[in-house]
Amino acid sequence: MSDSVQAKQTKPVAFRGGGFSPIHIKWVGLSVFVTLILVLEAGTRSGFISNLTMPRPSDVGWTFVELWTSGLLWKHVLPSVSRLLVGATLGASLGIGVGILIGLFSYIRAGLVPLISAIFPVPKIALLPLFVIWFGIDETSKYALIAFGTFTPTVVSTFGAVDNVDRSLIRMGQSFSLSWFSIVTKIVLPGAMPGILSGLRVSLAIAIILLVAAEMLGAEYGIGAYILQAGSLYDLERLFAGVVILSVMGVTVSAVIGFFEKRLLGWRS
Amino acid sequence: MDLRLENIGHSYGDMEVMQGMDLEIPAGKRVCSVGPSGCGKSTLLRLIGGLEQPTTGRVLQIGEPPAESLNPLTFVFQDFALLPWRTVEGNISLVLEDHGIRGKQADAIISDVLARTKLTEFRKALPKQLSGGMKQRVAISRALAVNPAVMLMDEPLSALDSQTRELLMDDLVSLWTREPFTAVYVTHNLHEAVRLGHFIVVLSRRPGRIREVVAVDKPLAERELGDADLEQTQKYLWNLMREEALAADKELINV
């Protein structure tokens, strides 16, 4: 046996497995940001990128310093954050509530799903005039717009999540004669939580988009108003400062949801 | 409390899965039901446990369940059906909470059933940390916690590897010898059936009917792996089922 093996050519079996499983790599994301900014800075300084094409990152930084020292930063950020908080909380909680009802009751599902599908694709910003007539020109119409925009995607992801709860766990609950209420609160809701939270990531991003849109159409202060002002003056430094604030808001929202996922979904393998 | 099945028949739409079943499940006995795949073994169990309604016939409960029984008909499922977000302890307390049993009283019950299934040290573990055999032990201790009058076991060992299965079977035997309980045990594994059953109900292929009820008289504690007379019974059962299993295997499934 060993003779015949030696007589033949021997080589190790080539490895062809691996890959296709995302692993967590630190710092790469950050270094992409840093490199991009450094390239821009170098490009604008050397004149390779003209000042009209892209603002110089350090100038955007100075704009921030100005915003901070003049106190304008908080004057713009605070109203935006409060609009986002009120609108998104309203929309998301209503959306989760209605989504759960759709997931649990066939009649509600039959009645509401077509309606939700009908209003889902409507760009909510088109309805701002309507909200202004209904709720007035002040804050309430902005809350309503953001809430409405957050509501529909939350409903869709929530009832999807409820539908995806393992039926065998519900069967188990019934086999132990748990009450309907216990089955809903102890089996259906925790089981739907992963889907609800990942749905919130999408709906809250939509909420930020709508926040800016609403502020662009009628607000004195707010990130949207600030960006609009800067844009109409072609003041790219201020425009980008506004954009950076929005990105930070997006990252913060995502981090908050990530925190809840860690706290609430530690049981997932 | 005895159970009696009277002329049970069941269909899903046009497909008849079960026909004219009559069966007695006397208190204190372990009834194993075996049959080829798709013969409606698990459906039969769900009918007995009231998770599904038979198309014809009825399941009768004769006599009252013992007063201390919180949930007279209690299932043990093949896929364990543990809540992944609750610890071992939490999974057991889940079925006690609805009976208003909390705090010290619940603690005592949980400690007792965990000790009986050798799980005491896993009390705070999450299901994802446990092996398949351990998960099924948790499910069994959850079932024991509600003092069932009849345990309805739906292929409880089928998701486990053969070594774990052998170990868990020994545990089931010792559980039963210490405190006998009535059980209906559905399995496709003839070896499990002859090890655990007082009676073995052999079902035909779809539509399921009772072909024969085989009694195994040997006391549970004396049955061992590789017993000659058990082998004999197992062989007899296999001969009964062989043709059915072959035919069932060739059937097209229209569901």
Side-chain angles (χ1 to χ4, degrees):
Chain A
M1 176 77 193
S2 63
D3 280 347
S4 64
V5 169
Q6 264 179 2
K8 286 171 188 160
Q9 198 188 13
T10 55
K11 59 177 184 184
V13 173
F15 176 65
R16 48 183 174 169
F20 297 101
S21 55
I23 48 173
H24 185 74
I25 304 174
K26 275 182 182 172
W27 307 119
V28 176
L30 192 68
S31 52
V32 168
F33 268 108
V34 171
T35 320
L36 205 61
I37 289 169
L38 287 180
V39 167
L40 276 179
E41 183 74 35
T44 42
R45 273 184 195 277
S46 66
F48 177 69
I49 302 171
S50 92
N51 273 344
L52 282 176
T53 325
M54 279 301 247
R56 193 176 290 176
S58 55
D59 288 348
V60 176
W62 283 116
T63 315
F64 263 111
V65 175
E66 263 167 49
L67 267 176
W68 178 273
T69 46
S70 64
L72 269 178
L73 182 65
W74 296 118
K75 225 170 178 175
H76 285 296
V77 169
L78 287 181
S80 289
V81 168
S82 75
R83 282 168 195 147
L84 184 70
L85 273 181
V86 174
T89 311
L90 216 66
S93 39
L94 267 177
I96 291 174
V98 171
I100 288 169
L101 290 178
I102 289 178
L104 292 177
F105 301 103
S106 298
Y107 270 100
I108 297 184
R109 175 187 302 252
L112 288 189
V113 169
L115 183 66
I116 301 283
S117 318
I119 55 177
F120 200 176
V122 175
K124 305 300 177 296
I125 195 68
L127 300 177
L128 186 66
L130 186 70
F131 286 128
V132 170
I133 296 171
W134 285 359
F135 302 109
I137 190 77
D138 59 353
E139 296 301 297
T140 324
S141 59
K142 296 184 187 67
Y143 296 156
L145 183 79
I146 296 168
F148 193 45
T150 323
F151 173 76
T152 36
T154 311
V155 170
V156 172
S157 64
T158 304
F159 81 70
V162 172
D163 288 350
N164 273 332
V165 173
D166 191 349
R167 297 294 121 167
S168 70
L169 292 181
I170 295 176
R171 244 10 116 239
M172 181 278 292
Q174 291 174 325
S175 83
F176 280 95
S177 302
L178 301 194
S179 65
W180 181 88
F181 185 74
S182 283
I183 290 179
V184 171
T185 54
K186 293 172 187 171
I187 299 177
V188 176
L189 287 189
M193 201 48 85
I196 293 176
L197 283 179
S198 69
L200 275 185
R201 274 183 196 276
V202 178
S203 359
L204 293 183
I206 294 176
I208 295 180
I209 296 174
L210 283 173
L211 164 76
V212 176
E215 287 176 343
M216 280 182 163
L217 288 182
E220 195 181 347
Y221 292 107
I223 312 294
Y226 178 75
I227 291 180
L228 187 72
Q229 266 175 28
S232 44
L233 296 172
Y234 286 89
D235 185 343
L236 289 188
E237 281 82 23
R238 287 172 64 200
L239 182 89
F240 267 78
V243 170
V244 168
I245 296 175
L246 288 180
S247 300
V248 170
M249 279 170 88
V251 171
T252 312
V253 164
S254 172
V256 168
I257 293 177
F259 170 78
F260 278 111
E261 279 180 338
K262 245 190 199 140
R263 281 289 301 274
L264 295 174
L265 306 179
W267 48 270
R268 285 196 300 188
S269 36
Chain B
M1 184 183 82
D2 301 348
L3 291 175
R4 181 188 297 152
L5 277 59
E6 278 183 359
N7 191 32
I8 296 285
H10 196 58
S11 335
Y12 292 114
D14 288 338
M15 191 174 67
E16 199 175 25
V17 289
M18 215 175 281
Q19 211 176 53
M21 280 208 196
D22 293 298
L23 185 68
E24 291 277 343
I25 300 156
K29 301 290 184 192
R30 296 176 312 275
V31 178
C32 287
S33 117
V34 296
S37 62
C39 72
K41 304 182 288 271
S42 298
T43 310
L44 180 66
L45 206 63
R46 287 200 294 276
L47 292 172
I48 297 175
L51 286 183
E52 264 181 74
Q53 285 185 306
T55 316
T56 62
R58 53 192 184 157
V59 181
L60 296 174
Q61 177 182 323
I62 302 160
E64 284 300 308
E68 71 273 13
S69 176
L70 297 176
N71 187 45
L73 301 172
T74 299
F75 277 85
V76 173
F77 298 94
Q78 176 176 2
D79 59 359
F80 325 128
L82 300 175
L83 302 185
W85 51 86
R86 282 190 177 224
T87 58
V88 167
E89 179 180 45
N91 265 288
I92 301 172
S93 86
L94 170 82
V95 300
L96 299 173
E97 285 158 15
D98 265 37
H99 296 282
I101 299 175
R102 287 160 201 279
K104 278 222 173 77
Q105 206 187 348
D107 256 5
I109 295 177
I110 293 168
S111 303
D112 172 52
V113 293
L114 288 180
R116 278 156 75 189
T117 46
K118 305 177 196 165
L119 283 169
T120 308
E121 57 198 295
F122 299 100
R123 187 169 179 145
K124 303 278 180 202
L126 280 173
K128 69 171 178 185
Q129 299 172 285
L130 301 175
S131 67
M134 284 297 166
K135 282 184 195 155
Q136 194 56 292
R137 282 203 174 84
V138 177
I140 291 170
S141 61
R142 175 179 63 190
L144 291 172
V146 291
N147 276 317
V150 181
M151 279 261 228
L152 304 171
M153 310 180 88
D154 186 3
E155 306 239 13
L157 307 183
S158 298
L160 308 174
D161 63 75
S162 62
Q163 294 153 18
T164 316
R165 198 181 302 168
E166 211 55 55
L167 289 174
L168 210 59
M169 220 179 324
D170 288 344
D171 288 348
L172 281 177
V173 169
S174 71
L175 271 179
W176 201 87
T177 37
R178 239 185 301 160
E179 208 171 318
F181 50 84
T182 316
V184 183
Y185 188 108
V186 164
T187 180
H188 66 268
N189 185 318
L190 300 179
H191 170 61
E192 284 171 28
V194 295
R195 272 294 290 285
L196 298 171
H198 281 118
F199 302 107
I200 297 161
V201 178
V202 184
L203 301 180
S204 71
R205 69 171 192 275
R206 199 172 58 224
R209 258 181 284 205
I210 294 176
R211 273 200 65 179
E212 197 170 324
V213 178
V214 179
V216 182
D217 295 326
K218 197 170 187 177
L220 192 61
E222 292 168 26
R223 301 183 193 179
E224 267 168 38
L225 190 61
D227 267 3
D229 43 348
L230 292 186
E231 292 281 332
Q232 203 61 44
T233 316
Q234 195 176 329
K235 209 166 182 181
Y236 175 72
L237 290 172
W238 175 233
N239 284 332
L240 272 179
M241 273 178 57
R242 197 187 153 80
E243 293 297 313
E244 300 278 350
L246 201 64
D249 201 33
K250 287 181 181 160
E251 257 169 53
L252 285 174
I253 302 168
N254 298 310
V255 275

